[in-house]
Amino acid sequence: MRILVVGGAGFIGSTSVETFVDAGHDVTVYDDLSTGHASAVVRPARLVRGQMEDRAHLTRVLRDERIEAVLHCAAKSLVGQSLLDPGLYYRNNVGGGVSLLDAMHAAGVTRLVFSSTAAVYGEPRRVPIAEADRTEPINPYGATKLAFEGAMRWFAASHDFQAISLRYFNVAGSTERNGEDHDPETHLMPLVLRVAAGEATHVQIFGQDYPTPDGTCIRDFIHVRDLAAAHLLALEATSEGDPSFEVYNLGSAAGFSVREVVEAARKVTGRAIPARVVKRRSGDPPVLVASSRRARRELGWQPQHSKLEQMLADAWAWKLTHPTGYSRPQRTDGTPVDRSTPRPGTPAPA
Ligand code: UFG
């Protein structure tokens, strides 16, 4: 299959590209590198730098590369930022997304898989959350992802698209080659591992007064490798049948609390990882756990790597081999430092 991965230089996109390349597919990445990293794109995938809003450019790329199917992973994805700057989220996630749909229509490409989010559900009324449950986002991030799903639905109906939206829960882990390198970083696991590496003094636990067994929030973590496998299954599923728009939740259906994550990270890294309880972060639902029964039943998806310890161990291994993430530190004479030899992390303070 000739696949275009929009946003393929980011954490989830680049890992998906690896999976597609390993499975023998021909992959082109389209990314503006605003948050992604050119060096995350594994060969022989090709990187085209461009903006989502540039419909003419996107159309040319789809035609020139004779693309058969698209994976769309390019979105602004920080809840807090979306509340501060909703316009950015509507322009990028809705405006940019519709530009992609128009370009696909112009180029005659109708197969699309979209990276959506559990944030479309807002505060769930019940867990595990099923796809038919109420969607009532509580921030512009979730609202813009849901708005784009609406556009997909209508493109499927009006222009014969076969479209699948995958609603992710909490993504974690890494491959040997690609891992999480965000700036700013807001996610729990990478922040915990920064403390393990001595880059920060302690983890902040946002609230210990939630209605959960240990008082901290519970999240459904899924290994990025399992997510990449789901993307491939979904892309394959778009080749069958009539125009359609389908939604699947992707989680492991096993929730872990913030405290359990910190405790597991101590075991995996052998580091102390001091933690302090601070006040709740606004907008955090107490429990977010997915029912992924539909993805298992209809896509044949089976998470293989989503054990808590394995996700942490893989992310820790990547951190040790990429202590500065994707950035290439320069010597004072301007030559890049060779990062091929793993450097151990520095011990955390006692
Ligand atoms: N947390 C801490 N300390 C930290 C960071 C996080 O205690 O330093 C807690 C959070 O309060 C939350 C849990 O760890 O309870 C997980 O937080 P993350 O920021 O790692 O992830 P979220 O659950 O907030 O975000 C995920 C997805 C988003 C999606 C959201 C839906 O990453 O894309 O679920 O609510 F929008």
Side-chain angles (χ1 to χ4, degrees):
M1 206 175 350
R2 286 184 298 279
I3 306 170
L4 184 72
V5 182
V6 185
F11 172 46
I12 294 168
S14 64
T15 312
S16 301
V17 170
E18 273 191 68
T19 298
F20 302 164
V21 164
D22 287 350
H25 297 292
D26 186 85
V27 183
T28 303
V29 168
Y30 189 89
D31 200 298
D32 65 5
L33 300 182
S34 57
T35 52
H37 308 275
S39 58
V41 178
V42 66
R43 280 174 218 275
R46 297 167 295 287
L47 171 64
V48 177
R49 192 166 179 176
Q51 308 289 326
M52 291 262 290
E53 296 76 13
D54 191 347
R55 190 175 66 189
H57 187 207
L58 262 172
T59 308
R60 265 199 317 279
V61 173
L62 288 162
R63 285 197 180 123
D64 291 351
E65 302 289 334
R66 293 180 298 123
I67 296 299
E68 294 166 287
V70 173
L71 170 64
H72 172 24
C73 299
K76 298 288 168 208
S77 61
L78 298 177
V79 170
Q81 185 187 43
S82 80
L83 286 159
L84 292 172
D85 190 356
L88 176 68
Y89 278 68
Y90 277 88
R91 280 193 304 279
N92 191 92
N93 295 359
V94 184
V98 173
S99 161
L100 170 64
L101 293 173
D102 279 335
M104 288 177 63
H105 179 50
V109 181
T110 57
R111 296 168 61 186
L112 173 65
V113 172
F114 173 54
S115 294
S116 192
T117 171
V120 299
Y121 295 109
E123 303 254 4
R125 284 188 185 163
R126 59 165 191 172
V127 284
I129 304 168
E131 290 83 353
D133 287 357
R134 189 187 57 149
T135 48
E136 207 167 64
I138 54 170
N139 50 60
Y141 170 55
T144 54
K145 289 271 190 166
L146 190 61
F148 181 71
E149 286 190 2
M152 284 173 78
R153 183 187 298 276
W154 289 110
F155 270 71
S158 302
H159 298 316
D160 293 352
F161 274 38
Q162 298 94 44
I164 292 181
S165 181
L166 301 174
R167 292 178 179 162
Y168 309 157
F169 283 61
N170 291 66
V171 186
S174 64
T175 65
E176 285 84 16
R177 199 177 180 289
N178 284 313
E180 231 170 322
D181 181 6
H182 296 127
D183 183 19
E185 185 55 78
T186 60
H187 290 120
L188 178 66
M189 283 201 197
L191 288 174
V192 167
L193 295 179
R194 281 187 184 180
V195 178
E199 294 166 19
T201 54
H202 64 277
V203 178
Q204 292 188 316
I205 294 181
F206 295 140
Q208 199 176 227
D209 54 352
Y210 286 95
T212 60
D214 68 14
T216 64
C217 288
I218 292 177
R219 292 290 180 272
D220 186 344
F221 294 92
I222 178 172
H223 198 298
V224 69
R225 279 186 194 277
D226 287 330
L227 204 56
H231 288 147
L232 188 50
L233 290 168
L235 281 168
E236 286 163 354
T238 58
S239 68
E240 290 160 15
D242 297 325
S244 57
F245 170 72
E246 303 292 342
V247 172
Y248 296 95
N249 284 346
L250 297 177
S252 68
F256 298 101
S257 74
V258 172
R259 276 223 174 268
E260 284 173 317
V261 170
V262 175
E263 197 43 56
R266 289 177 179 140
K267 286 202 189 97
V268 165
T269 63
R271 307 285 167 91
I273 313 187
R276 280 186 211 152
V277 178
V278 297
K279 69 177 173 43
R280 289 181 177 196
R281 187 174 68 176
S282 71
D284 277 336
V287 183
L288 279 181
V289 177
S291 166
S292 304
R293 282 174 58 188
R294 182 156 197 241
R296 289 169 197 254
R297 192 176 61 234
E298 294 182 17
L299 298 177
W301 180 60
Q302 193 59 53
Q304 309 271 338
H305 308 280
S306 296
K307 300 256 178 342
L308 181 58
E309 283 74 16
Q310 185 181 348
M311 289 186 278
L312 284 162
D314 288 353
W316 180 234
W318 193 81
K319 184 149 189 65
L320 293 181
T321 51
H322 300 76
T324 56
Y326 289 100
S327 65
R328 288 191 167 274
Q330 308 258 305
R331 293 198 182 86
T332 43
D333 64 0
T335 56
V337 174
D338 179 6
R339 295 194 293 116
S340 55
T341 314
R343 274 203 276 141
T346 47

mmCIF file with all atom_site columns, all heavy atoms in Angstrom, residues 17 53 124 127 159 263 306:
data_model
loop_
_atom_site.group_PDB
_atom_site.id
_atom_site.type_symbol
_atom_site.label_atom_id
_atom_site.label_alt_id
_atom_site.label_comp_id
_atom_site.label_asym_id
_atom_site.label_entity_id
_atom_site.label_seq_id
_atom_site.pdbx_PDB_ins_code
_atom_site.Cartn_x
_atom_site.Cartn_y
_atom_site.Cartn_z
_atom_site.occupancy
_atom_site.B_iso_or_equiv
_atom_site.pdbx_formal_charge
_atom_site.auth_seq_id
_atom_site.auth_comp_id
_atom_site.auth_asym_id
_atom_site.auth_atom_id
_atom_site.pdbx_PDB_model_num
ATOM 1  N N   . VAL A 1 17  ? 4.941   4.887  11.176 1.00 0.00 ? 17  VAL A N   1
ATOM 2  C CA  . VAL A 1 17  ? 5.736   4.793  9.939  1.00 0.00 ? 17  VAL A CA  1
ATOM 3  C C   . VAL A 1 17  ? 6.673   3.581  10.023 1.00 0.00 ? 17  VAL A C   1
ATOM 4  O O   . VAL A 1 17  ? 6.784   2.793  9.080  1.00 0.00 ? 17  VAL A O   1
ATOM 5  C CB  . VAL A 1 17  ? 6.542   6.096  9.707  1.00 0.00 ? 17  VAL A CB  1
ATOM 6  C CG1 . VAL A 1 17  ? 7.549   5.926  8.575  1.00 0.00 ? 17  VAL A CG1 1
ATOM 7  C CG2 . VAL A 1 17  ? 5.594   7.253  9.404  1.00 0.00 ? 17  VAL A CG2 1
ATOM 8  N N   . GLU A 1 53  ? -2.617  23.352 5.947  1.00 0.00 ? 53  GLU A N   1
ATOM 9  C CA  . GLU A 1 53  ? -3.505  24.344 5.327  1.00 0.00 ? 53  GLU A CA  1
ATOM 10 C C   . GLU A 1 53  ? -3.202  24.504 3.835  1.00 0.00 ? 53  GLU A C   1
ATOM 11 O O   . GLU A 1 53  ? -4.006  25.077 3.104  1.00 0.00 ? 53  GLU A O   1
ATOM 12 C CB  . GLU A 1 53  ? -3.351  25.714 6.020  1.00 0.00 ? 53  GLU A CB  1
ATOM 13 C CG  . GLU A 1 53  ? -3.785  25.734 7.478  1.00 0.00 ? 53  GLU A CG  1
ATOM 14 C CD  . GLU A 1 53  ? -2.775  25.065 8.414  1.00 0.00 ? 53  GLU A CD  1
ATOM 15 O OE1 . GLU A 1 53  ? -1.626  24.800 7.985  1.00 0.00 ? 53  GLU A OE1 1
ATOM 16 O OE2 . GLU A 1 53  ? -3.147  24.782 9.569  1.00 0.00 ? 53  GLU A OE2 1
ATOM 17 N N   . PRO A 1 124 ? -16.650 11.054 31.461 1.00 0.00 ? 124 PRO A N   1
ATOM 18 C CA  . PRO A 1 124 ? -17.523 9.923  31.136 1.00 0.00 ? 124 PRO A CA  1
ATOM 19 C C   . PRO A 1 124 ? -18.513 9.614  32.254 1.00 0.00 ? 124 PRO A C   1
ATOM 20 O O   . PRO A 1 124 ? -18.203 9.780  33.431 1.00 0.00 ? 124 PRO A O   1
ATOM 21 C CB  . PRO A 1 124 ? -16.539 8.765  30.951 1.00 0.00 ? 124 PRO A CB  1
ATOM 22 C CG  . PRO A 1 124 ? -15.308 9.164  31.664 1.00 0.00 ? 124 PRO A CG  1
ATOM 23 C CD  . PRO A 1 124 ? -15.249 10.650 31.667 1.00 0.00 ? 124 PRO A CD  1
ATOM 24 N N   . VAL A 1 127 ? -17.460 3.857  33.079 1.00 0.00 ? 127 VAL A N   1
ATOM 25 C CA  . VAL A 1 127 ? -16.266 3.222  32.524 1.00 0.00 ? 127 VAL A CA  1
ATOM 26 C C   . VAL A 1 127 ? -16.460 1.706  32.605 1.00 0.00 ? 127 VAL A C   1
ATOM 27 O O   . VAL A 1 127 ? -17.133 1.248  33.526 1.00 0.00 ? 127 VAL A O   1
ATOM 28 C CB  . VAL A 1 127 ? -14.977 3.630  33.283 1.00 0.00 ? 127 VAL A CB  1
ATOM 29 C CG1 . VAL A 1 127 ? -14.551 5.020  32.919 1.00 0.00 ? 127 VAL A CG1 1
ATOM 30 C CG2 . VAL A 1 127 ? -15.122 3.462  34.776 1.00 0.00 ? 127 VAL A CG2 1
ATOM 31 N N   . HIS A 1 159 ? -18.701 11.922 -0.469 1.00 0.00 ? 159 HIS A N   1
ATOM 32 C CA  . HIS A 1 159 ? -17.628 11.695 -1.456 1.00 0.00 ? 159 HIS A CA  1
ATOM 33 C C   . HIS A 1 159 ? -17.100 10.259 -1.425 1.00 0.00 ? 159 HIS A C   1
ATOM 34 O O   . HIS A 1 159 ? -15.967 10.009 -1.823 1.00 0.00 ? 159 HIS A O   1
ATOM 35 C CB  . HIS A 1 159 ? -16.474 12.667 -1.197 1.00 0.00 ? 159 HIS A CB  1
ATOM 36 C CG  . HIS A 1 159 ? -16.842 14.112 -1.342 1.00 0.00 ? 159 HIS A CG  1
ATOM 37 N ND1 . HIS A 1 159 ? -17.610 14.594 -2.374 1.00 0.00 ? 159 HIS A ND1 1
ATOM 38 C CD2 . HIS A 1 159 ? -16.555 15.192 -0.562 1.00 0.00 ? 159 HIS A CD2 1
ATOM 39 C CE1 . HIS A 1 159 ? -17.763 15.897 -2.236 1.00 0.00 ? 159 HIS A CE1 1
ATOM 40 N NE2 . HIS A 1 159 ? -17.151 16.283 -1.139 1.00 0.00 ? 159 HIS A NE2 1
ATOM 41 N N   . GLU A 1 263 ? 5.202   4.013  41.238 1.00 0.00 ? 263 GLU A N   1
ATOM 42 C CA  . GLU A 1 263 ? 5.773   2.852  41.938 1.00 0.00 ? 263 GLU A CA  1
ATOM 43 C C   . GLU A 1 263 ? 6.423   1.882  40.943 1.00 0.00 ? 263 GLU A C   1
ATOM 44 O O   . GLU A 1 263 ? 7.546   1.400  41.147 1.00 0.00 ? 263 GLU A O   1
ATOM 45 C CB  . GLU A 1 263 ? 4.648   2.158  42.730 1.00 0.00 ? 263 GLU A CB  1
ATOM 46 C CG  . GLU A 1 263 ? 5.096   1.197  43.808 1.00 0.00 ? 263 GLU A CG  1
ATOM 47 C CD  . GLU A 1 263 ? 6.260   1.740  44.646 1.00 0.00 ? 263 GLU A CD  1
ATOM 48 O OE1 . GLU A 1 263 ? 6.163   2.839  45.228 1.00 0.00 ? 263 GLU A OE1 1
ATOM 49 O OE2 . GLU A 1 263 ? 7.294   1.024  44.682 1.00 0.00 ? 263 GLU A OE2 1
ATOM 50 N N   . SER A 1 306 ? 1.273   -3.868 26.084 1.00 0.00 ? 306 SER A N   1
ATOM 51 C CA  . SER A 1 306 ? 0.764   -2.814 26.953 1.00 0.00 ? 306 SER A CA  1
ATOM 52 C C   . SER A 1 306 ? 0.768   -3.134 28.451 1.00 0.00 ? 306 SER A C   1
ATOM 53 O O   . SER A 1 306 ? -0.053  -2.624 29.211 1.00 0.00 ? 306 SER A O   1
ATOM 54 C CB  . SER A 1 306 ? -0.630  -2.377 26.466 1.00 0.00 ? 306 SER A CB  1
ATOM 55 O OG  . SER A 1 306 ? -0.518  -1.809 25.185 1.00 0.00 ? 306 SER A OG  1
#
